[in-house]
Amino acid sequence: MNILFITHDAGFYGASRSLQLLIRNYHGATIDMIVHRRLVGRYDIEELRSRFGGHVRSIRSFHLPLSFCYRGKPERPILLFLYRLGLDLLWRMTRHRLHRALKAGSYDAIHINSLALHRVVDDRYPCIVHVREIFDGTDHAAKQSLVAARGVIFIDTATRDAFTDILPNLRHLLVLNNPVDM
């Protein structure tokens, strides 16, 4: 299998740590990664490779659209609005690069590591969304994205239950409780 993992977080905690554990221990596939491009500075690719696993074939960064549509999102509305406005502009200007990479990669699966990245889902590609957050209902496009995805992984029933109205429309879904030994 040829799998692409897309993540908005390459840090040391939470979703990133779970993804690092999964990828480091997943040797049955060819693995590429895309990380959210920082607004200031760049990732040290070799340092990321050491955290996620030396067998990761490529690690690239792109401007990704973030949707703050979950409980516990940052609380400063004006700063959040300006940040999202900037991200949306960068995403609109560069999304064709990401789509070119998705098409060229001929991936068997594209694992999108957060509901916050739901706008990356495109039904032309085999996207699987890993919902780690409880949806707060503020971005109705999130539901459309999950329906368009080939599959959805929920970390628990609380993340799943926020989408009860669309569950029958999902192609495939799985509840994979955290913590889990990946």
Side-chain angles (χ1 to χ4, degrees):
M1 285 191 71
N2 190 17
I3 303 174
L4 173 66
F5 289 89
I6 300 177
T7 185
H8 67 303
D9 179 16
F12 293 102
Y13 305 101
S16 177
R17 186 157 180 104
S18 174
L19 186 62
Q20 290 170 34
L21 184 59
L22 170 64
I23 293 175
R24 267 197 321 269
N25 291 292
Y26 196 174
H27 296 285
T30 301
I31 295 174
D32 292 336
M33 282 191 65
I34 290 176
V35 296
H36 178 60
R37 179 170 282 170
R38 291 178 168 173
L39 293 179
V40 178
R42 295 195 183 272
Y43 285 108
D44 178 336
I45 298 300
E46 291 311 310
E47 195 265 330
L48 286 180
R49 191 177 310 283
S50 72
R51 275 194 266 150
F52 285 93
H55 62 288
V56 175
R57 181 174 59 179
S58 73
I59 301 174
R60 297 171 287 175
S61 64
F62 289 89
H63 293 292
L64 299 173
L66 293 178
S67 175
F68 297 97
C69 61
Y70 52 87
R71 290 187 197 168
K73 64 187 169 199
E75 287 299 321
R76 294 186 165 161
I78 293 172
L79 291 178
L80 187 60
F81 172 78
L82 292 173
Y83 181 67
R84 177 146 185 212
L85 190 67
L87 287 178
D88 284 347
L89 180 62
L90 290 169
W91 166 245
R92 290 174 195 266
M93 291 179 355
T94 63
R95 71 178 159 202
H96 65 282
R97 294 179 192 158
L98 176 65
H99 288 285
R100 205 169 32 235
L102 297 180
K103 186 175 182 179
S106 298
Y107 295 105
D108 296 307
I110 299 169
H111 180 276
I112 299 170
N113 200 42
S114 174
L115 178 63
L117 292 170
H118 75 83
R119 290 176 31 208
V120 171
V121 172
D122 185 312
D123 62 4
R124 295 176 291 178
Y125 307 108
C127 297
I128 300 166
V129 181
H130 202 148
V131 179
R132 300 170 177 280
E133 308 87 356
I134 297 176
F135 180 59
D136 68 3
T138 59
D139 186 348
H140 298 290
K143 292 181 178 184
Q144 295 168 336
S145 296
L146 295 188
V147 169
R150 301 267 173 95
V152 181
I153 301 168
F154 295 101
I155 64 163
D156 57 26
T157 56
T159 58
R160 183 198 62 202
D161 291 349
F163 292 100
T164 54
D165 58 325
I166 64 163
L167 291 178
N169 301 328
L170 300 181
R171 294 186 203 181
H172 301 281
L173 72 92
L174 170 69
V175 175
L176 184 62
N177 287 314
N178 269 2
V180 62
D181 183 358
M182 302 260 195

PDB file of all heavy atoms in Angstrom, residues 160-172:
ATOM      1  N   ARG A 160     -18.066  10.607  17.662  1.00  0.00           N
ATOM      2  CA  ARG A 160     -19.021  10.053  16.691  1.00  0.00           C
ATOM      3  C   ARG A 160     -20.407  10.659  16.874  1.00  0.00           C
ATOM      4  O   ARG A 160     -21.079  11.038  15.900  1.00  0.00           O
ATOM      5  CB  ARG A 160     -19.104   8.539  16.838  1.00  0.00           C
ATOM      6  CG  ARG A 160     -20.042   7.899  15.807  1.00  0.00           C
ATOM      7  CD  ARG A 160     -20.464   6.519  16.191  1.00  0.00           C
ATOM      8  NE  ARG A 160     -21.220   6.575  17.445  1.00  0.00           N
ATOM      9  CZ  ARG A 160     -21.376   5.543  18.251  1.00  0.00           C
ATOM     10  NH1 ARG A 160     -20.839   4.382  17.960  1.00  0.00           N
ATOM     11  NH2 ARG A 160     -22.066   5.665  19.372  1.00  0.00           N
ATOM     12  N   ASP A 161     -20.864  10.764  18.122  1.00  0.00           N
ATOM     13  CA  ASP A 161     -22.232  11.193  18.394  1.00  0.00           C
ATOM     14  C   ASP A 161     -22.513  12.629  17.958  1.00  0.00           C
ATOM     15  O   ASP A 161     -23.671  13.001  17.765  1.00  0.00           O
ATOM     16  CB  ASP A 161     -22.567  11.009  19.866  1.00  0.00           C
ATOM     17  CG  ASP A 161     -22.653   9.531  20.247  1.00  0.00           C
ATOM     18  OD1 ASP A 161     -22.656   8.672  19.336  1.00  0.00           O
ATOM     19  OD2 ASP A 161     -22.686   9.244  21.464  1.00  0.00           O
ATOM     20  N   ALA A 162     -21.492  13.428  17.778  1.00  0.00           N
ATOM     21  CA  ALA A 162     -21.686  14.794  17.288  1.00  0.00           C
ATOM     22  C   ALA A 162     -22.141  14.804  15.827  1.00  0.00           C
ATOM     23  O   ALA A 162     -22.568  15.833  15.312  1.00  0.00           O
ATOM     24  CB  ALA A 162     -20.395  15.594  17.440  1.00  0.00           C
ATOM     25  N   PHE A 163     -22.077  13.628  15.177  1.00  0.00           N
ATOM     26  CA  PHE A 163     -22.449  13.512  13.759  1.00  0.00           C
ATOM     27  C   PHE A 163     -23.585  12.517  13.540  1.00  0.00           C
ATOM     28  O   PHE A 163     -23.707  11.944  12.458  1.00  0.00           O
ATOM     29  CB  PHE A 163     -21.220  13.087  12.941  1.00  0.00           C
ATOM     30  CG  PHE A 163     -20.154  14.120  12.877  1.00  0.00           C
ATOM     31  CD1 PHE A 163     -19.043  14.037  13.707  1.00  0.00           C
ATOM     32  CD2 PHE A 163     -20.243  15.196  12.010  1.00  0.00           C
ATOM     33  CE1 PHE A 163     -18.038  14.996  13.660  1.00  0.00           C
ATOM     34  CE2 PHE A 163     -19.260  16.165  11.951  1.00  0.00           C
ATOM     35  CZ  PHE A 163     -18.149  16.061  12.780  1.00  0.00           C
ATOM     36  N   THR A 164     -24.440  12.311  14.538  1.00  0.00           N
ATOM     37  CA  THR A 164     -25.480  11.283  14.422  1.00  0.00           C
ATOM     38  C   THR A 164     -26.373  11.482  13.201  1.00  0.00           C
ATOM     39  O   THR A 164     -26.819  10.495  12.607  1.00  0.00           O
ATOM     40  CB  THR A 164     -26.360  11.219  15.687  1.00  0.00           C
ATOM     41  OG1 THR A 164     -26.884  12.524  15.950  1.00  0.00           O
ATOM     42  CG2 THR A 164     -25.581  10.703  16.873  1.00  0.00           C
ATOM     43  N   ASP A 165     -26.617  12.714  12.809  1.00  0.00           N
ATOM     44  CA  ASP A 165     -27.504  12.958  11.675  1.00  0.00           C
ATOM     45  C   ASP A 165     -26.917  12.519  10.332  1.00  0.00           C
ATOM     46  O   ASP A 165     -27.661  12.259   9.389  1.00  0.00           O
ATOM     47  CB  ASP A 165     -27.906  14.436  11.612  1.00  0.00           C
ATOM     48  CG  ASP A 165     -26.718  15.375  11.508  1.00  0.00           C
ATOM     49  OD1 ASP A 165     -25.660  15.077  12.107  1.00  0.00           O
ATOM     50  OD2 ASP A 165     -26.845  16.415  10.838  1.00  0.00           O
ATOM     51  N   ILE A 166     -25.598  12.377  10.224  1.00  0.00           N
ATOM     52  CA  ILE A 166     -25.010  11.961   8.948  1.00  0.00           C
ATOM     53  C   ILE A 166     -24.417  10.551   8.984  1.00  0.00           C
ATOM     54  O   ILE A 166     -23.934  10.067   7.956  1.00  0.00           O
ATOM     55  CB  ILE A 166     -23.931  12.949   8.460  1.00  0.00           C
ATOM     56  CG1 ILE A 166     -22.738  12.995   9.418  1.00  0.00           C
ATOM     57  CG2 ILE A 166     -24.522  14.325   8.197  1.00  0.00           C
ATOM     58  CD1 ILE A 166     -21.490  13.616   8.827  1.00  0.00           C
ATOM     59  N   LEU A 167     -24.431   9.890  10.127  1.00  0.00           N
ATOM     60  CA  LEU A 167     -23.825   8.556  10.234  1.00  0.00           C
ATOM     61  C   LEU A 167     -24.317   7.588   9.147  1.00  0.00           C
ATOM     62  O   LEU A 167     -23.507   6.871   8.566  1.00  0.00           O
ATOM     63  CB  LEU A 167     -24.028   7.962  11.624  1.00  0.00           C
ATOM     64  CG  LEU A 167     -23.259   8.657  12.762  1.00  0.00           C
ATOM     65  CD1 LEU A 167     -23.587   7.993  14.090  1.00  0.00           C
ATOM     66  CD2 LEU A 167     -21.771   8.668  12.506  1.00  0.00           C
ATOM     67  N   PRO A 168     -25.622   7.576   8.819  1.00  0.00           N
ATOM     68  CA  PRO A 168     -26.065   6.647   7.766  1.00  0.00           C
ATOM     69  C   PRO A 168     -25.467   6.970   6.383  1.00  0.00           C
ATOM     70  O   PRO A 168     -25.437   6.109   5.512  1.00  0.00           O
ATOM     71  CB  PRO A 168     -27.586   6.825   7.737  1.00  0.00           C
ATOM     72  CG  PRO A 168     -27.940   7.430   9.044  1.00  0.00           C
ATOM     73  CD  PRO A 168     -26.756   8.250   9.455  1.00  0.00           C
ATOM     74  N   ASN A 169     -24.992   8.193   6.200  1.00  0.00           N
ATOM     75  CA  ASN A 169     -24.451   8.611   4.901  1.00  0.00           C
ATOM     76  C   ASN A 169     -22.948   8.377   4.765  1.00  0.00           C
ATOM     77  O   ASN A 169     -22.393   8.582   3.690  1.00  0.00           O
ATOM     78  CB  ASN A 169     -24.740  10.096   4.664  1.00  0.00           C
ATOM     79  CG  ASN A 169     -26.223  10.386   4.683  1.00  0.00           C
ATOM     80  OD1 ASN A 169     -27.039   9.555   4.295  1.00  0.00           O
ATOM     81  ND2 ASN A 169     -26.583  11.557   5.162  1.00  0.00           N
ATOM     82  N   LEU A 170     -22.285   7.984   5.847  1.00  0.00           N
ATOM     83  CA  LEU A 170     -20.847   7.745   5.795  1.00  0.00           C
ATOM     84  C   LEU A 170     -20.576   6.409   5.120  1.00  0.00           C
ATOM     85  O   LEU A 170     -21.255   5.416   5.382  1.00  0.00           O
ATOM     86  CB  LEU A 170     -20.236   7.775   7.192  1.00  0.00           C
ATOM     87  CG  LEU A 170     -20.394   9.074   7.977  1.00  0.00           C
ATOM     88  CD1 LEU A 170     -19.719   8.950   9.341  1.00  0.00           C
ATOM     89  CD2 LEU A 170     -19.833  10.257   7.202  1.00  0.00           C
ATOM     90  N   ARG A 171     -19.577   6.378   4.240  1.00  0.00           N
ATOM     91  CA  ARG A 171     -19.259   5.142   3.511  1.00  0.00           C
ATOM     92  C   ARG A 171     -18.758   4.055   4.454  1.00  0.00           C
ATOM     93  O   ARG A 171     -19.187   2.916   4.379  1.00  0.00           O
ATOM     94  CB  ARG A 171     -18.202   5.423   2.448  1.00  0.00           C
ATOM     95  CG  ARG A 171     -18.694   6.337   1.366  1.00  0.00           C
ATOM     96  CD  ARG A 171     -17.641   6.434   0.294  1.00  0.00           C
ATOM     97  NE  ARG A 171     -17.826   7.669  -0.455  1.00  0.00           N
ATOM     98  CZ  ARG A 171     -17.066   8.003  -1.464  1.00  0.00           C
ATOM     99  NH1 ARG A 171     -16.066   7.240  -1.840  1.00  0.00           N
ATOM    100  NH2 ARG A 171     -17.284   9.130  -2.101  1.00  0.00           N
ATOM    101  N   HIS A 172     -17.809   4.411   5.297  1.00  0.00           N
ATOM    102  CA  HIS A 172     -17.253   3.486   6.281  1.00  0.00           C
ATOM    103  C   HIS A 172     -16.942   4.285   7.532  1.00  0.00           C
ATOM    104  O   HIS A 172     -16.448   5.404   7.434  1.00  0.00           O
ATOM    105  CB  HIS A 172     -15.957   2.835   5.778  1.00  0.00           C
ATOM    106  CG  HIS A 172     -16.136   2.067   4.516  1.00  0.00           C
ATOM    107  ND1 HIS A 172     -16.674   0.815   4.480  1.00  0.00           N
ATOM    108  CD2 HIS A 172     -15.844   2.388   3.225  1.00  0.00           C
ATOM    109  CE1 HIS A 172     -16.712   0.385   3.231  1.00  0.00           C
ATOM    110  NE2 HIS A 172     -16.230   1.318   2.447  1.00  0.00           N
TER     111      HIS A 172
END
